[in-house]
């Protein structure tokens, strides 16, 4: 590998920006190859000509695996890893050095137009799945690019909007998935986002790119820009960004050389960035042109079946009886919606419809389109669907959001399905003996207005090119559904905690809900939802018993639980472990997901699983201490079938860590009284000044101490002097020094 010191300044500058939309610049005379970087976390979007970063122009055929929205619902790192590994194989075949993914941004609002590219509203689930994807992708010699770093949770004004978000919220919600991927999977690159964070563009945010990413997390790879996210080349380089994509036609290269020559930018910083880009060339490979498209399509079908969520199954309407007369209704049955729009849009090697797949499995099918995909009303289509439903044993309606309703580049303004689809569902349900609805969409959709009219709902989200086959397998019972919701389904858009703040105004979006994102808010505020985070049904039943939690240190524990398949079919069950506490000085969600695993069980089989709860499972981010802290106190470890359905719990006590703040004259009276060493001595000294009864009033809600808790000490001392009391200045100074020396 070429050493950066052997390159001229012009060559170094050239290496720090792209040659075009898909390649870095080569330095032929130094043996530095151009690297190919392409989009598509769930596949490859390799373009031969008319390159773009928006999915406008066609790309080479590649397998479209289930997107992240589906993989998130699998709750299975093996599924995420299988996608990553297969994409890596295709990338090697195409000579791709870096595949731009996965996206691990949090689903802050269900309206985000790019939610189909992200895993979950929960950072642990997102981080675990993203880590599995990166490890597997890079096992094939292809570099990953975890994105979009950070607080990129909307498409509205995405190029310049400032996310106004406090540090605790960043640390607990929006950064942990990135942190886990970086520290556990060592991605080749991290892609910074377009947006600003508290007024500073992510591409030139030194706190984000250097202090957090490199100094705290130890990231050693390349920081690249999202395509067009560099607003000031020099500021970005000084902040910690290495590679500008897609480049500026050489203008920023010249500017960088001039800045180094003038002393505005140290050449040592250029050398650091260049050396990282040179290290990235280890992923360079010549294309082999070979991958097994049939095998990958079959894999995509198997993986997709792991991701769909059975939301409702009244009267055991699913699986379909093999001899049932089935009316299949809806354009999505024959023209499947299986991916989102924008830079991740894949040109699939083939597309499999549910209608064809059901027929291939021997199902007796009558088909009616039911509605137009463009939303135009057509009473004749609805009437035809009703007639088919009335004549069948069961009607299966394939509904969802058309391509144009959600994409990179814009957000949605409603959760509702198109009105004509809702009308068709209700009309069919009124006529059919039983009605099943199968959903295809990237972001959460409302189920209101028709949910109670139907017997079963199978939510496929977006399942990739083989999703039609997977849905047929699930409907027929060839595969048992095992997906669980990775995001809550609210009753109303107004119930979502971001409702009043999303997507912001005049270039700013306020993260006013803080850490209360998704289920954290719904469960804490006791706001009912249609289906909670973690919900998912099966064709079999499971029993969860014998929760045992054992502390293993001052801030760690191990939990074990026994799961039995009590039904008649083999199936998979997700063990969800939550932690609840009110310990500490900050408001905590009523419960938070802290560990999970997915177990496969045959009928009657029992398995005991053990889950580790490390210190972060119990900690909050203390903005005053500038680090994670576990407060001494009680913590309840809960097993949930979902975030809203706890089936077992055990309380434990942790020693944790006592934070002793250094006291000053500006510290509050409450902080002085609360200090374990200083408080008792301070109390003794002021007793004479206020009167023993006032000081020792046990009812702080009505006592005078309650009224003065928030006073800075210097004001409190002035009041004491007004009563003829007080504490000598030298004694106050002695107590301040005591607060600095106690452990």
């Amino acid at each position: 590998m070429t050493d950066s010191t052997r390159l001229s300044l012009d060559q170094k500058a050239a290496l720090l920006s792209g040659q075009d939309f898909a390649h870095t610049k080569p330095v032929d005379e130094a043996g530095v190859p151009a690297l190919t970087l392409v989009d598509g976390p769930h596949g490859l979007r390799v373009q031969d000509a008319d390159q773009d970063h928006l999915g406008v122009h066609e790309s080479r055929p590649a397998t479209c695996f289930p997107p992240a929205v589906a993989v998130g619902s699998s709750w299975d790192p093996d599924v995420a890893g299988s996608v990553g590994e297969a994409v890596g194989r295709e990338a090697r075949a195409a000579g791709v050095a870096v595949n731009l993914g996965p996206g691990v941004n949090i689903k802050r609002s269900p309206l985000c137009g790019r939610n189909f590219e992200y895993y979950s509203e929960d950072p642990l689930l997102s981080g675990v799945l993203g880590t599995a994807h990166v490890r597997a992708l890079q096992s094939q010699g292809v570099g990953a690019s975890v994105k979009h770093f950070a607080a990129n949770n909307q498409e509205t004004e995405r190029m310049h909007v400032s996310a106004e978000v406090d540090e605790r919220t960043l640390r607990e919600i929006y950064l942990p998935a990135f942190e886990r991927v970086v520290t556990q999977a060592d991605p080749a690159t991290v892609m910074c986002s377009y947006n600003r964070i508290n007024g500073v563009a992510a591409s030139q945010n030194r706190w984000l790119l250097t202090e957090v990413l490199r100094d705290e997390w130890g990231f050693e790879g390349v920081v690249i820009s999202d395509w067009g996210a560099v607003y000031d080349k020099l500021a970005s380089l000084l902040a910690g960004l290495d590679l500008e994509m897609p480049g500026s036609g050489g203008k920023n290269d010249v500017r960088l050389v001039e800045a180094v020559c003038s002393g505005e930018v140290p050449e040592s910083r250029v050398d650091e960035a260049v050396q990282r880009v040179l290290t990235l060339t280890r992923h360079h490979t010549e294309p082999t042109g070979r991958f097994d498209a049939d095998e990958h399509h079959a894999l995509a079908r198997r993986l997709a079946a792991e991701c769909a969520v059975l939301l409702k199954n009244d009267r055991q309407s699913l699986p379909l009886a093999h001899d049932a007369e089935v009316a299949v209704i809806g354009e999505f049955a024959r023209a499947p919606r299986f991916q989102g729009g924008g830079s991740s849009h894949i040109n699939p090697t083939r597309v499999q419809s549910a209608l064809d797949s059901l027929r291939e499995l021997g199902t007796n099918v009558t088909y009616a389109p039911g509605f137009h995909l463009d939303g135009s009303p057509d009473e004749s289509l609805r009437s035809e669907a009703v007639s088919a439903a009335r004549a069948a044993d069961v009607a299966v309606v394939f509904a969802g959001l058309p391509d144009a309703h959600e994409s990179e580049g814009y957000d949605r303004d409603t959760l509702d399905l198109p009105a004509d689809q809702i009308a068709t569902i209700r009309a069919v349900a009124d006529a059919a003996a039983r009605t099943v609805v199968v959903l295809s969409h990237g972001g959460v959709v409302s189920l209101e207005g028709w949910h109670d009219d139907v017997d079963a709902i199978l939510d496929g989200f977006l399942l990739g090119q083989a999703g039609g086959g997977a849905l047929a397998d699930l409907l027929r019972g060839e595969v048992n559904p095992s997906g669980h919701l990775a995001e809550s389904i609210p009753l109303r858009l107004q119930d979502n905690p971001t409702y009043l703040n999303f997507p912001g105004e005049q270039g700013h979006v306020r993260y006013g809900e803080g850490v209360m994102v998704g289920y954290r808010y719904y469960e804490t505020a006791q706001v009912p939802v249609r289906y909670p985070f973690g919900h998912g049904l099966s064709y079999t039943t499971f029993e969860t018993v014998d929760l045992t939690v054992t502390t293993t240190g001052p801030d760690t524990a191990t939990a074990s639980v026994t799961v039995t398949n009590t039904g008649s079919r083999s199936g998979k069950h997700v063990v969800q472990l939550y932690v609840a506490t009110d310990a500490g000085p900050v408001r905590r969600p009523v419960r938070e997901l802290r560990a999970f695993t997915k177990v496969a069980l045959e009928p009657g089989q029992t398995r005991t699983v053990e889950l580790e709860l490390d210190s972060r499972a119990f900690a909050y981010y203390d903005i005053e201490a500038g680090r994670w802290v576990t407060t001494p106190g009680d913590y309840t470890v809960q097993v949930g079938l979902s975030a809203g359905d706890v089936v077992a719990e055990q309380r434990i006590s942790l020693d944790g860590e006592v934070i002793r703040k250094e006291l000053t004259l500006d510290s509050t009276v409450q902080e002085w009284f609360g200090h374990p060493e200083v408080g008792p001595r301070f109390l003794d000294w002021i007793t004479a000044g206020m009167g023993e009864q006032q000081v020792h009033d046990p009812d702080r809600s009505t006592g005078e101490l309650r009224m003065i808790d928030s006073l800075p000490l210097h004001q409190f001392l002035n009041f004491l002097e007004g009563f003829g009391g007080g504490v000598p200045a030298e004694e106050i100074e002695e107590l301040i020094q005591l607060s600095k020396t106690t452990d």
Side-chain angles (χ1 to χ4, degrees), residues 86-392:
V87 171
R89 286 195 294 268
E90 295 194 20
R92 294 292 286 181
V96 169
V98 177
N99 182 248
L100 302 177
V104 297
N105 295 99
I106 295 300
K107 299 183 181 186
R108 175 179 177 245
S109 166
L111 294 178
C112 176
R114 210 169 180 179
N115 273 353
F116 62 86
E117 280 195 59
Y118 306 138
Y119 293 111
S120 177
E121 68 187 29
D122 182 81
L124 175 66
L125 182 55
S126 298
V128 169
L129 298 176
T131 296
H133 180 107
V134 170
R135 284 174 173 166
L137 175 74
Q138 295 193 159
S139 73
Q140 302 304 302
V142 177
S145 189
V146 60
K147 61 184 185 181
H148 306 88
F149 192 57
N152 181 190
N153 309 106
Q154 65 187 68
E155 295 299 287
T156 302
E157 297 186 302
R158 66 173 179 156
M159 300 295 288
H160 65 272
V161 71
S162 178
E164 310 298 340
V165 52
D166 66 274
E167 186 175 3
R168 181 186 165 213
T169 298
L170 280 170
R171 297 284 192 167
E172 294 193 14
I173 302 296
Y174 298 104
L175 296 185
F178 290 99
E179 180 183 4
R180 181 177 290 269
V181 174
V182 166
T183 58
Q184 297 187 9
D186 191 23
T189 74
V190 169
M191 181 192 293
C192 80
S193 54
Y194 290 117
N195 56 285
R196 291 168 168 79
I197 301 171
N198 297 322
V200 181
S203 62
Q204 53 199 63
N205 194 315
R206 179 174 173 79
W207 175 81
L208 184 71
L209 302 183
T210 297
E211 294 178 24
V212 173
L213 181 60
R214 294 202 186 279
D215 296 344
E216 291 186 27
W217 299 350
F219 179 63
E220 297 180 348
V222 175
V223 176
I224 65 173
S225 71
D226 203 340
W227 269 229
V230 170
Y231 309 109
D232 184 325
K233 172 74 172 185
L234 304 186
S236 294
L237 186 66
L238 291 172
L241 187 130
D242 301 310
L243 177 60
E244 174 190 9
M245 290 299 293
S248 60
K251 291 182 294 185
N252 279 341
D253 301 356
V254 173
R255 187 180 174 211
L256 178 56
V257 170
E258 292 173 347
V260 172
C261 292
S262 69
E264 186 179 356
V265 173
E267 189 166 2
S268 60
R269 171 66 192 108
V270 174
D271 288 339
E272 289 175 354
V274 168
Q275 196 59 54
R276 291 177 186 135
V277 173
L278 291 174
T279 301
L280 193 62
T281 61
R282 72 183 186 273
H283 295 291
H284 175 70
T285 184
E286 294 299 325
T288 65
R290 297 188 302 274
F291 74 91
D292 191 327
D294 292 338
E295 179 183 327
H296 278 197
H297 181 79
L299 173 64
R301 180 170 179 166
R302 292 195 300 273
L303 296 177
E306 298 286 329
C307 302
V309 183
L310 182 61
L311 296 176
K312 178 180 182 180
N313 194 21
D314 293 350
R315 298 194 292 163
Q316 295 183 318
S317 297
L318 290 177
L320 300 172
H322 285 196
D323 59 351
E325 295 289 337
V326 180
V328 172
I329 295 162
E331 278 289 352
F332 290 109
R334 66 177 178 182
R337 169 87 194 289
F338 58 91
Q339 65 175 324
S343 61
S344 68
H345 195 273
I346 307 301
N347 179 18
T349 59
R350 70 196 71 173
V351 177
Q352 191 171 27
S353 76
L355 180 60
D356 289 342
S357 299
L358 283 168
R359 286 171 170 160
E360 289 169 3
L361 290 174
T363 310
N364 299 318
V365 171
T366 300
Y367 174 71
F371 52 82
H372 294 294
L373 289 180
D374 63 7
S376 58
D378 191 327
E379 287 296 334
S380 64
L381 289 184
R382 189 172 304 139
S383 177
E384 179 188 359
V386 168
S387 296
R390 187 175 288 117

Side-chain angles (χ1 to χ4, degrees), residues 574-590:
V574 177
V575 178
Q576 304 170 40
L577 218 59
Y578 296 84
V579 171
T581 186
D582 57 7
V586 297
R587 181 71 178 269
R588 307 284 286 268
V590 71

Side-chain angles (χ1 to χ4, degrees), residues 633-647:
D634 291 337
Y635 295 79
T636 302
V637 178
Q638 302 174 326
V639 176
L641 300 181
S642 69
D645 187 2
V646 174
V647 296

Side-chain angles (χ1 to χ4, degrees), residues 488-545:
S488 312
I489 301 179
L491 289 169
R492 308 180 308 157
L493 177 60
Q494 295 92 323
D495 294 334
N496 185 267
T498 68
Y499 178 68
L500 295 178
N501 290 316
F502 183 92
E505 55 196 20
Q506 296 186 309
H508 297 266
V509 54
R510 188 171 67 90
Y511 284 46
E513 69 281 357
V515 301
M516 300 296 179
V517 175
Y519 74 88
R520 287 168 164 80
Y521 169 76
Y522 296 124
E523 297 304 320
T524 302
Q526 298 181 356
V527 174
V529 295
R530 174 55 70 183
Y531 289 109
F533 172 86
H535 171 78
L537 303 179
S538 170
Y539 296 153
T540 189
T541 54
F542 299 93
E543 182 183 49
T544 303
V545 297

